Short mmCIF file of all heavy atoms in Angstrom, two decimals:
data_model
loop_
_atom_site.label_atom_id
_atom_site.label_comp_id
_atom_site.label_asym_id
_atom_site.label_seq_id
_atom_site.Cartn_x
_atom_site.Cartn_y
_atom_site.Cartn_z
N THR P 872 -19.69 17.87 26.71
CA THR P 872 -20.02 19.09 25.98
C THR P 872 -18.84 20.04 25.78
O THR P 872 -18.98 21.02 25.07
CB THR P 872 -21.14 19.85 26.69
OG1 THR P 872 -20.80 20.04 28.07
CG2 THR P 872 -22.45 19.11 26.60
N GLY P 873 -17.69 19.81 26.40
CA GLY P 873 -16.55 20.66 26.12
C GLY P 873 -15.84 21.17 27.35
O GLY P 873 -16.35 21.98 28.10
N ARG P 874 -14.61 20.70 27.55
CA ARG P 874 -13.79 21.10 28.70
C ARG P 874 -12.90 22.27 28.29
O ARG P 874 -12.28 22.24 27.22
CB ARG P 874 -12.94 19.92 29.14
CG ARG P 874 -12.04 20.19 30.34
CD ARG P 874 -11.15 18.99 30.62
NE ARG P 874 -11.91 17.81 30.95
CZ ARG P 874 -12.37 17.51 32.16
NH1 ARG P 874 -12.12 18.33 33.18
NH2 ARG P 874 -13.04 16.40 32.37
N PRO P 875 -12.80 23.32 29.09
CA PRO P 875 -11.89 24.42 28.76
C PRO P 875 -10.47 23.93 28.53
O PRO P 875 -9.97 23.07 29.27
CB PRO P 875 -11.98 25.33 29.99
CG PRO P 875 -13.32 25.05 30.57
CD PRO P 875 -13.56 23.59 30.33
N ILE P 876 -9.82 24.46 27.51
CA ILE P 876 -8.50 23.96 27.16
C ILE P 876 -7.44 24.40 28.16
O ILE P 876 -6.50 23.64 28.45
CB ILE P 876 -8.11 24.38 25.72
CG1 ILE P 876 -6.87 23.60 25.26
CG2 ILE P 876 -7.92 25.89 25.60
CD1 ILE P 876 -6.60 23.71 23.77
N ARG P 877 -7.58 25.60 28.74
CA ARG P 877 -6.56 26.08 29.67
C ARG P 877 -7.12 26.50 31.03
O ARG P 877 -6.50 26.25 32.04
CB ARG P 877 -5.81 27.28 29.07
CG ARG P 877 -5.00 26.94 27.84
CD ARG P 877 -4.22 28.12 27.30
NE ARG P 877 -3.64 27.79 26.00
CZ ARG P 877 -4.27 27.97 24.86
NH1 ARG P 877 -5.46 28.50 24.85
NH2 ARG P 877 -3.71 27.61 23.73
N ALA P 878 -8.25 27.17 31.06
CA ALA P 878 -8.74 27.78 32.30
C ALA P 878 -9.13 26.72 33.33
O ALA P 878 -9.89 25.79 33.04
CB ALA P 878 -9.93 28.68 32.00
N GLU P 879 -8.60 26.88 34.55
CA GLU P 879 -8.98 26.01 35.66
C GLU P 879 -10.21 26.59 36.36
O GLU P 879 -10.36 27.81 36.48
CB GLU P 879 -7.83 25.90 36.66
CG GLU P 879 -6.52 25.42 36.07
CD GLU P 879 -6.54 23.94 35.71
OE1 GLU P 879 -7.03 23.14 36.51
OE2 GLU P 879 -6.05 23.60 34.62
N ASN P 880 -11.09 25.70 36.81
CA ASN P 880 -12.28 26.10 37.58
C ASN P 880 -13.17 27.10 36.83
O ASN P 880 -13.89 27.89 37.44
CB ASN P 880 -11.87 26.70 38.93
CG ASN P 880 -11.15 25.69 39.79
OD1 ASN P 880 -11.68 24.61 40.07
ND2 ASN P 880 -9.93 26.02 40.20
N ALA P 881 -13.12 27.06 35.50
CA ALA P 881 -13.95 27.98 34.70
C ALA P 881 -15.32 27.41 34.41
O ALA P 881 -16.22 28.13 33.99
CB ALA P 881 -13.24 28.30 33.38
N ASP P 882 -15.49 26.11 34.65
CA ASP P 882 -16.75 25.44 34.34
C ASP P 882 -17.07 24.51 35.51
O ASP P 882 -16.23 23.70 35.91
CB ASP P 882 -16.62 24.64 33.03
CG ASP P 882 -17.93 24.04 32.56
OD1 ASP P 882 -18.60 23.36 33.37
OD2 ASP P 882 -18.28 24.23 31.38
N PRO P 883 -18.28 24.61 36.08
CA PRO P 883 -18.59 23.75 37.23
C PRO P 883 -18.55 22.26 36.90
O PRO P 883 -18.33 21.43 37.79
CB PRO P 883 -20.00 24.20 37.64
CG PRO P 883 -20.56 24.88 36.43
CD PRO P 883 -19.39 25.51 35.74
N TYR P 884 -18.79 21.91 35.64
CA TYR P 884 -18.74 20.50 35.25
C TYR P 884 -17.31 20.04 34.99
O TYR P 884 -17.01 18.85 35.09
CB TYR P 884 -19.58 20.27 33.99
CG TYR P 884 -21.05 20.48 34.19
CD1 TYR P 884 -21.69 21.63 33.73
CD2 TYR P 884 -21.83 19.52 34.84
CE1 TYR P 884 -23.05 21.83 33.90
CE2 TYR P 884 -23.20 19.70 35.02
CZ TYR P 884 -23.80 20.85 34.55
OH TYR P 884 -25.15 21.04 34.73
N TYR P 885 -16.43 20.96 34.62
CA TYR P 885 -15.07 20.60 34.22
C TYR P 885 -14.07 21.55 34.90
O TYR P 885 -13.51 22.44 34.26
CB TYR P 885 -14.92 20.69 32.70
CG TYR P 885 -15.90 19.86 31.92
CD1 TYR P 885 -16.92 20.45 31.17
CD2 TYR P 885 -15.81 18.47 31.92
CE1 TYR P 885 -17.81 19.69 30.45
CE2 TYR P 885 -16.70 17.69 31.20
CZ TYR P 885 -17.70 18.31 30.46
OH TYR P 885 -18.59 17.55 29.75
N PRO P 886 -13.81 21.38 36.19
CA PRO P 886 -12.91 22.31 36.90
C PRO P 886 -11.45 22.19 36.50
O PRO P 886 -10.68 23.12 36.69
CB PRO P 886 -13.12 21.95 38.37
CG PRO P 886 -13.61 20.53 38.35
CD PRO P 886 -14.42 20.40 37.11
N VAL P 887 -11.04 21.04 35.96
CA VAL P 887 -9.65 20.82 35.57
C VAL P 887 -9.53 21.04 34.07
O VAL P 887 -10.29 20.49 33.28
CB VAL P 887 -9.19 19.40 35.94
CG1 VAL P 887 -7.72 19.21 35.57
CG2 VAL P 887 -9.41 19.14 37.42
N SER P 888 -8.54 21.83 33.64
CA SER P 888 -8.40 22.14 32.23
C SER P 888 -7.85 20.96 31.44
O SER P 888 -7.22 20.04 31.99
CB SER P 888 -7.47 23.34 32.04
OG SER P 888 -6.11 22.96 32.24
N ALA P 889 -8.05 21.00 30.13
CA ALA P 889 -7.56 19.93 29.26
C ALA P 889 -6.04 19.89 29.24
O ALA P 889 -5.44 18.81 29.18
CB ALA P 889 -8.12 20.12 27.85
N GLU P 890 -5.38 21.05 29.27
CA GLU P 890 -3.91 21.04 29.27
C GLU P 890 -3.36 20.43 30.56
O GLU P 890 -2.38 19.69 30.51
CB GLU P 890 -3.38 22.47 29.09
CG GLU P 890 -3.45 22.96 27.65
CD GLU P 890 -2.65 24.23 27.43
OE1 GLU P 890 -2.16 24.81 28.42
OE2 GLU P 890 -2.52 24.64 26.26
N THR P 891 -3.99 20.70 31.68
CA THR P 891 -3.56 20.07 32.93
C THR P 891 -3.70 18.56 32.86
O THR P 891 -2.82 17.82 33.32
CB THR P 891 -4.37 20.63 34.12
OG1 THR P 891 -4.07 22.01 34.28
CG2 THR P 891 -4.05 19.89 35.41
N ILE P 892 -4.78 18.10 32.25
CA ILE P 892 -4.99 16.65 32.10
C ILE P 892 -3.92 16.05 31.19
O ILE P 892 -3.42 14.95 31.43
CB ILE P 892 -6.41 16.38 31.57
CG1 ILE P 892 -7.44 16.76 32.65
CG2 ILE P 892 -6.58 14.92 31.16
CD1 ILE P 892 -8.86 16.77 32.17
N GLY P 893 -3.54 16.79 30.13
CA GLY P 893 -2.46 16.32 29.26
C GLY P 893 -1.14 16.20 30.02
O GLY P 893 -0.37 15.24 29.81
N ILE P 894 -0.86 17.15 30.91
CA ILE P 894 0.34 17.09 31.76
C ILE P 894 0.26 15.87 32.69
O ILE P 894 1.24 15.14 32.88
CB ILE P 894 0.51 18.38 32.56
CG1 ILE P 894 0.78 19.56 31.61
CG2 ILE P 894 1.63 18.24 33.58
CD1 ILE P 894 0.72 20.92 32.29
N ASN P 895 -0.94 15.62 33.26
CA ASN P 895 -1.12 14.44 34.12
C ASN P 895 -0.77 13.16 33.37
O ASN P 895 -0.10 12.27 33.89
CB ASN P 895 -2.57 14.36 34.60
CG ASN P 895 -2.97 15.48 35.53
OD1 ASN P 895 -2.12 16.16 36.10
ND2 ASN P 895 -4.27 15.68 35.69
N PHE P 896 -1.26 13.07 32.12
CA PHE P 896 -1.02 11.86 31.33
C PHE P 896 0.47 11.71 31.01
O PHE P 896 1.03 10.61 31.11
CB PHE P 896 -1.83 11.89 30.04
CG PHE P 896 -1.59 10.71 29.14
CD1 PHE P 896 -2.11 9.47 29.46
CD2 PHE P 896 -0.81 10.84 28.00
CE1 PHE P 896 -1.87 8.37 28.65
CE2 PHE P 896 -0.56 9.74 27.19
CZ PHE P 896 -1.09 8.51 27.51
N ALA P 897 1.13 12.81 30.67
CA ALA P 897 2.57 12.75 30.36
C ALA P 897 3.35 12.26 31.58
O ALA P 897 4.24 11.40 31.46
CB ALA P 897 3.06 14.12 29.92
N ARG P 898 3.01 12.80 32.75
CA ARG P 898 3.73 12.39 33.97
C ARG P 898 3.53 10.92 34.27
O ARG P 898 4.44 10.25 34.77
CB ARG P 898 3.27 13.25 35.14
CG ARG P 898 3.81 14.67 35.09
CD ARG P 898 3.25 15.53 36.20
NE ARG P 898 3.86 16.86 36.21
CZ ARG P 898 3.37 17.90 36.88
NH1 ARG P 898 2.26 17.75 37.60
NH2 ARG P 898 3.98 19.06 36.82
N LYS P 899 2.35 10.41 33.99
CA LYS P 899 2.11 8.98 34.22
C LYS P 899 3.11 8.15 33.43
O LYS P 899 3.51 7.07 33.88
CB LYS P 899 0.68 8.61 33.81
CG LYS P 899 0.41 7.13 33.99
CD LYS P 899 -0.94 6.69 33.48
CE LYS P 899 -1.03 5.18 33.64
NZ LYS P 899 -2.30 4.63 33.12
N HIS P 900 3.51 8.65 32.27
CA HIS P 900 4.46 7.92 31.43
C HIS P 900 5.89 8.42 31.58
O HIS P 900 6.73 8.19 30.70
CB HIS P 900 4.00 7.99 29.97
CG HIS P 900 2.76 7.18 29.71
ND1 HIS P 900 2.80 5.84 29.42
CD2 HIS P 900 1.45 7.51 29.74
CE1 HIS P 900 1.57 5.38 29.26
NE2 HIS P 900 0.73 6.38 29.46
N GLY P 901 6.16 9.12 32.70
CA GLY P 901 7.52 9.54 33.01
C GLY P 901 8.02 10.70 32.19
O GLY P 901 9.24 10.92 32.10
#
Side-chain angles (χ1 to χ4, degrees):
T872 52
R874 181 185 298 276
I876 192 167
R877 295 182 189 88
E879 304 288 316
N880 297 304
D882 186 309
Y884 293 104
Y885 304 110
V887 182
S888 75
E890 283 193 352
T891 294
I892 292 170
I894 294 170
N895 294 342
F896 178 74
R898 286 175 175 165
K899 178 186 176 182
H900 289 275

